[in-house]
């Protein structure tokens, strides 16, 4: 049964993943911006993080031009801001993750001596190249490339890539200190010409996780797409295909994806313009990505289905256990779990009397001394060095002169001054005590008559944690769940109860891997439940629940997607009252099923990635079947009895 439920969960995951839109439509050119009035020899292109600015480099004018986009990532709203002279033949430029550092690639012009270097500048105002200062941080790459044309970094700043036309290669470098060019070490190269047929690659860029690479080919007027079997390692590149942009321009020199990878911007060096393409799926230049091949996607979907399944379990278990507790304590008049009792009794009176210091003048009272607190009937009046009292049961006697020890008057004398002072107050103490006992007796009688009409209240808190292992298609995940449940129920008659409970739950599911996704789930659940006998020797417990869910998906602590959900579920638990052996072993069976509906949502990725996945709304089922047994055993002790109970189930 456990294996079949795993298969069911796998089917649900595949259904969820297949609901992601994977139909492909080729990119569409939606906007063009001519920049030749500002720069007649543009080569490099870069955007700020939110898409409200972009920059171009000029190898002829030796300057950087800045443009503002009034609507983020909308080229039609672009206006020129300024041109900033930099003094080098600019081939390309890049920024670090927060825009406080500018990287500038210098390349040779015509037959001039090679000056293939990358320089780093500090910007006092992020993404404002006019505020740059140089701190002697650079790297010379002429040993690997003498005709540099493109520059790119990984998002964490620990990988740098230089593209050049000599050998049509891309060279990769590892930076032991992120964004520090002086720590760069060459780590291999990849030649484009054999695979693409283009011997003048000008730029390359990557997807957010480094498993895809795109190159602009000057000769073929195309964008070439590659798969990287090892992320961020260009030596493992394999050509997928190409996209012809010749109708836009015959000299593409740079390309940039929007933050959510729904748009592509291409710098055209021949026409001196920038083009904006609409992509109909994430990085959709040649095809839409197969979601089942991405471990993060699979882990995200598995986490969502797992959270829906666990919500049912964490809600049904406490309610079913409550009904079992009601069955075990069926004979109790108070079925509220908070058994706090306040009691006032004659023991208080006894504690105030130091019996050892009381001197009695009547030997017959020696028998009654221990029963004094419970047998004190009246305080008659003061006598010399003591108090006259009546001990026994208060009732009228036919013979007032009877020597019946159940009711007689005597005097208590004490050599304790504190006791004598207290004894003077006995009349009012007795009157108050009588009034209290009379009122308590009246309430007890009403309680006995109405106990079956009263509601009982209970509460439950749960905390659980666990881990699901790594698989070939999914990353391992840590799961932490907590919740509070408050309920009320009442007894209709013997073995029959009805009730309702509300649970507020939170769960956190985190992928155990660098850069893994995290899901924060909140849920509110209403349960209606009841237990009733199905035969002389068995009982059926049943519940119906409705939940509202909210799921926040996070990556690197930043919310990248929000999803809502609804859930309805039911559970049945059948158990026998006939037990076996000293531990009263009883067979049980349980069945639960739920239907969950998730709304459509889009995972937009973080501000430092270009990830976007769109999920359709989906309705799916989860369930469990279990069989086992329960046991209980009672041990009588001095002040009551000790209960031992437990259960064992196979799911």
């Amino acid at each position: 049964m456990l294996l079949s439920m795993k298969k069911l969960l796998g089917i649900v995951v595949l259904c969820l993943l297949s609901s992601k839109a994977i139909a492909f439509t080729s990119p569409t050119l939606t906007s063009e911006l001519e920049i030749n009035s500002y720069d007649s020899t543009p080569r490099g292109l870069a955007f700020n993080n939110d898409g409200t600015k972009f920059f171009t480099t000029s190898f002829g004018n030796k300057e950087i031009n800045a443009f503002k986009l009034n609507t983020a990532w909308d080229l039609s709203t672009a206006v020129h801001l300024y041109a900033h002279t930099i003094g080098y033949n600019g081939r390309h430029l890049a920024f670090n993750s927060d825009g406080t550092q500018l990287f500038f690639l210098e390349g040779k012009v015509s037959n001039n001596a090679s000056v293939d270097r990358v320089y780093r500048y500090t910007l006092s105002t992020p993404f404002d190249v006019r505020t740059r200062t140089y701190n002697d941080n650079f790297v010379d790459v002429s040993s690997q490339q003498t005709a540099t044309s493109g520059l790119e970094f990984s998002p964490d700043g620990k990988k740098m890539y230089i593209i050049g036309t000599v050998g049509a290669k891309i060279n990769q470098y590892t930076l032991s200190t992120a964004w520090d060019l002086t720590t760069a070490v060459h780590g291999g190269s990849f030649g484009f010409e054999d695979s693409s047929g283009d011997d003048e690659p000008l730029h390359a860029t990557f997807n957010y996780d480094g498993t895809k690479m795109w190159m602009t080919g000057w000769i073929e007027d195309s964008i070439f797409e590659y798969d990287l079997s090892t992320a961020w390692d260009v030596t493992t590149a394999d050509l997928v295909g190409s996209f012809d942009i010749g109708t836009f321009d015959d000299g593409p020199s740079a390309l940039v994806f929007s933050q959510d990878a729904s748009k592509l911007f291409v710098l055209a060096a021949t026409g001196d313009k920038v083009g904006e393409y609409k992509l109909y799926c994430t990085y959709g230049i040649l095809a839409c990505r197969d979601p089942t091949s991405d471990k993060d996607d699979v882990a995200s979907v598995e986490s969502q289905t797992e959270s829906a399944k666990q919500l049912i379990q964490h809600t049904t278990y406490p309610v079913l256990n409550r009904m079992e507790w009601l069955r075990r304590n069926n004979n109790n008049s108070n079925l509220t779990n908070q058994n706090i009792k306040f009691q006032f009794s004659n023991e208080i009176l006894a504690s105030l009397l130091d019996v050892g210091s009381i001197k009695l003048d009547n030997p017959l009272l020696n028998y009654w001394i221990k029963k004094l607190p419970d047998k004190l009937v009246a305080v008659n009046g003061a006598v010399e060095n003591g108090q006259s009292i009546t001990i026994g049961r208060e009732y009228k006697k036919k013979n007032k002169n009877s020597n019946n020890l159940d009711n007689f008057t005597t005097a208590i004398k004490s050599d304790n001054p504190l006791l004598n002072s207290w004894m003077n107050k006995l009349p009012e103490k007795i009157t108050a005590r009588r009034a209290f006992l009379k009122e308590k007796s009246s309430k007890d009688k009403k309680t006995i008559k109405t106990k079956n009409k009263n509601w009982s209240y209970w509460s439950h808190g749960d905390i659980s944690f666990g881990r699901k292992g790594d698989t070939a298609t999914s990353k391992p995940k840590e799961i932490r769940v907590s919740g509070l449940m408050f309920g009320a129920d009442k007894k209709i008659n013997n073995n029959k109860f009805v009730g309702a409970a509300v649970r507020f739950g939170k769960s956190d599911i985190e992928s155990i891997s660098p850069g893994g996704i995290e899901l924060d789930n909140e849920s509110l659940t209403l349960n209606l439940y009841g237990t009733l006998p199905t035969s002389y020797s068995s009982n059926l417990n049943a519940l119906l629940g409705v939940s509202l869910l909210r799921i926040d998906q996070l990556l690197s602590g930043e919310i990248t997607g929000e999803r809502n959900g609804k859930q309805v579920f039911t559970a049945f638990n059948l158990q026998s009252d006939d037990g076996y052996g000293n531990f009263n072993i009883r067979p049980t069976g349980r069945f639960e099923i739920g239907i969950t509906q998730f709304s459509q949502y889009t995972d937009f990725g973080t501000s430092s990635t270009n990830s976007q996945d769109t999920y359709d709304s989906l309705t799916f089922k989860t369930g469990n079947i279990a069989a086992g047994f329960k046991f209980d055993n009672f041990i009588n002790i001095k002040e009551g009895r000790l209960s031992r109970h437990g259960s064992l189930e196979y799911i």
Side-chain angles (χ1 to χ4, degrees):
M1 180 58 65
L2 182 60
L3 180 59
S4 63
M5 293 309 301
K6 287 183 177 179
K7 289 182 179 179
L8 175 60
L9 182 59
I11 293 172
V12 169
V13 170
L14 290 177
C15 290
L16 269 166
L17 288 170
S18 64
S19 71
K20 297 173 63 175
I22 59 174
F24 180 71
T25 301
S26 296
T28 301
L29 182 65
T30 58
S31 183
E32 298 181 38
L33 176 68
E34 293 186 355
I35 61 173
N36 54 4
S37 60
Y38 311 109
D39 190 352
S40 60
T41 54
R43 285 296 181 270
L45 177 67
F47 279 76
N48 66 346
N49 291 338
D50 61 7
T52 57
K53 289 183 180 180
F54 75 87
F55 307 83
T56 62
T57 57
S58 171
F59 76 87
N61 297 336
K62 299 181 180 181
E63 63 186 17
I64 297 175
N65 281 276
F67 297 81
K68 177 184 178 182
L69 280 68
N70 292 316
T71 300
W73 306 108
D74 186 349
L75 198 59
S76 65
T77 66
V79 293
H80 185 257
L81 288 178
Y82 58 81
H84 176 67
T85 301
I86 199 164
Y88 297 110
N89 297 314
R91 291 291 181 171
H92 209 89
L93 78 165
F95 296 93
N96 70 339
S97 56
D98 62 5
T100 58
Q101 293 177 346
L102 166 69
F103 298 87
F104 190 83
L105 175 62
E106 178 189 14
K108 70 178 182 179
V109 179
S110 300
N111 294 321
N112 293 345
S114 176
V115 283
D116 298 289
R117 291 182 176 183
V118 182
Y119 298 93
R120 188 185 76 177
Y121 298 90
T122 298
L123 305 182
S124 57
T125 301
F127 296 106
D128 189 343
V129 298
R130 298 170 298 183
T131 65
R132 67 185 175 93
T133 56
Y134 182 58
N135 53 9
D136 199 30
N137 193 288
F138 75 96
V139 60
D140 190 319
V141 296
S142 58
S143 297
Q144 292 83 38
Q145 183 56 253
T146 56
T148 55
S149 58
L151 170 68
E152 195 71 17
F153 285 88
S154 62
D156 61 3
K158 293 186 176 182
K159 288 282 189 179
M160 180 181 71
Y161 304 88
I162 300 295
I163 300 91
T165 56
V166 173
K169 290 182 179 181
I170 178 172
N171 287 273
Q172 63 186 16
Y173 301 80
T174 299
L175 281 64
S176 56
T177 301
W179 309 108
D180 187 349
L181 299 177
T182 63
T183 66
V185 177
H186 185 252
S189 63
F190 175 78
F192 290 113
E193 185 174 4
D194 290 343
S195 58
S196 67
D198 198 309
D199 61 359
E200 290 195 40
L202 297 188
H203 182 234
T205 192
F206 300 83
N207 67 343
Y208 73 100
D209 63 1
T211 58
K212 285 277 190 181
M213 176 175 67
W214 292 268
M215 178 270 287
T216 55
W218 175 277
I219 301 300
E220 298 295 328
D221 309 331
S222 297
I223 297 173
F224 295 89
E225 181 175 313
Y226 292 83
D227 283 336
L228 276 63
S229 57
T230 300
W232 305 110
D233 186 354
V234 297
T235 65
T236 65
D238 183 52
L239 180 67
V240 176
S242 63
F243 174 66
D244 191 334
I245 63 167
T247 55
F248 166 60
D249 191 79
D250 61 358
S253 64
L255 73 165
V256 175
F257 288 99
S258 63
Q259 183 185 62
D260 61 6
S262 64
K263 293 183 177 182
L264 173 69
F265 297 88
V266 179
L267 178 62
T270 301
D272 304 330
K273 58 186 177 180
V274 181
E276 176 185 322
Y277 285 85
K278 178 181 179 179
L279 305 181
Y280 294 90
C281 56
T282 306
Y283 300 106
I285 295 180
L286 296 181
C288 291
R289 185 166 54 98
D290 178 8
T292 61
S293 65
D294 190 306
K295 282 193 173 186
D296 282 320
D297 280 343
V298 175
S300 174
V301 172
E302 279 187 349
S303 298
Q304 294 179 41
T305 55
E306 183 66 23
S307 66
K309 182 179 178 181
Q310 290 210 358
L311 174 58
I312 296 176
Q313 294 176 353
H314 284 281
T315 303
T316 57
Y317 284 5
V319 175
L320 294 177
N321 288 338
R322 167 65 178 176
M323 287 188 277
E324 170 65 14
W325 186 90
L326 291 173
R327 187 196 67 80
R328 291 198 312 268
N329 296 273
N330 181 42
N331 296 324
N332 292 350
S333 60
N334 181 11
L335 295 175
T336 296
N337 276 352
Q338 298 174 348
N339 295 318
I340 301 174
K341 297 180 180 179
F342 297 94
Q343 184 177 358
F344 181 82
S345 69
N346 279 337
E347 291 178 359
I348 296 177
L349 182 60
S351 66
L352 293 174
L353 295 176
D354 183 0
V355 177
S357 65
I358 297 179
K359 304 298 183 181
L360 300 177
D361 60 358
N362 190 327
L364 295 176
L365 288 178
N366 290 332
Y367 169 77
W368 291 98
I369 190 62
K370 293 182 180 181
K371 300 184 178 182
L372 177 60
D374 292 323
K375 297 296 183 179
L376 187 60
V377 173
V379 179
N380 305 313
V383 297
E384 183 180 358
N385 295 327
Q387 193 77 32
S388 175
I389 62 173
T390 298
I391 295 177
R393 290 192 293 270
E394 185 179 21
Y395 61 93
K396 294 182 180 179
K397 289 183 172 292
K398 295 180 179 180
N399 184 1
K400 295 183 178 181
N401 296 322
S402 172
N403 291 326
N404 192 333
L405 292 181
D406 282 341
N407 194 4
F408 64 91
T409 300
T410 186
I412 295 180
K413 295 183 178 181
S414 172
D415 59 0
N416 189 325
L418 292 178
L419 178 59
N420 290 331
S421 173
W422 182 83
M423 291 288 286
N424 292 330
K425 298 180 181 181
L426 273 178
E428 59 187 82
K429 298 286 186 181
I430 293 296
T431 301
R433 176 63 178 166
R434 283 177 173 176
F436 170 78
L437 292 175
K438 185 176 181 180
E439 181 181 2
K440 182 176 182 298
S441 176
S442 176
K443 288 182 177 180
D444 288 345
K445 291 178 180 179
K446 291 181 180 180
T447 300
I448 293 173
K449 293 179 180 179
T450 62
K451 68 176 183 177
N452 288 339
K453 298 181 181 180
N454 289 341
W455 286 87
S456 300
Y457 304 97
W458 60 280
S459 60
H460 174 83
D462 58 85
I463 299 175
S464 65
F465 55 90
R467 171 172 175 159
K468 293 184 72 68
D470 195 2
T471 67
T473 59
S474 178
K475 294 181 178 180
K477 298 168 286 294
E478 282 186 349
I479 302 174
R480 296 177 291 275
V481 181
S482 60
L484 285 175
M485 181 177 286
F486 301 93
D489 43 50
K490 70 176 181 178
K491 183 177 180 180
I492 304 301
N493 52 44
N494 288 338
N495 292 327
K496 187 175 182 180
F497 299 86
V498 294
V502 176
R503 181 182 187 271
F504 174 73
K506 286 182 66 67
S507 64
D508 179 30
I509 303 177
E510 184 176 358
S511 179
I512 311 172
S513 61
I517 61 100
E518 180 181 353
L519 294 180
D520 284 347
N521 303 337
E522 293 184 352
S523 62
L524 182 64
T525 304
L526 171 65
N527 300 277
L528 302 176
Y529 61 90
T531 179
L532 65 158
T534 58
S535 66
Y536 179 78
S537 61
S538 63
N539 286 277
L540 178 67
N541 301 324
L543 71 88
L544 176 67
V546 179
S547 298
L548 298 177
L549 300 89
R550 178 181 174 84
I551 301 175
D552 288 338
Q553 179 172 300
L554 297 90
L555 184 63
S556 302
E558 183 178 342
I559 294 180
T560 60
E562 296 178 343
R563 195 171 204 177
N564 296 320
K566 296 177 290 186
Q567 186 179 73
V568 60
F569 58 90
T570 186
F572 300 93
N573 173 229
L574 181 65
Q575 59 185 21
S576 173
D577 287 339
D578 291 336
Y580 304 94
N582 294 332
F583 281 86
N584 193 30
I585 298 174
R586 306 178 308 280
T588 64
R590 179 168 54 86
F591 170 76
E592 60 188 40
I593 186 171
I595 301 175
T596 304
Q597 183 181 68
F598 283 144
S599 64
Q600 179 182 355
Y601 89 109
T602 299
D603 174 9
F604 289 103
T606 67
S607 57
S608 61
T609 68
N610 289 328
S611 170
Q612 176 178 321
D613 291 315
T614 300
Y615 296 79
D616 294 335
S617 62
L618 186 81
T619 301
F620 62 94
K621 299 178 182 179
T622 56
N624 273 322
I625 298 177
F629 63 86
K630 293 187 176 183
F631 65 89
D632 54 42
N633 178 259
F634 297 96
I635 301 176
N636 292 322
I637 57 178
K638 184 177 181 181
E639 301 296 331
R641 63 177 183 173
L642 178 65
S643 172
R644 297 181 295 181
H645 55 87
S647 63
L648 181 65
E649 284 186 325
Y650 178 77
I651 302 176

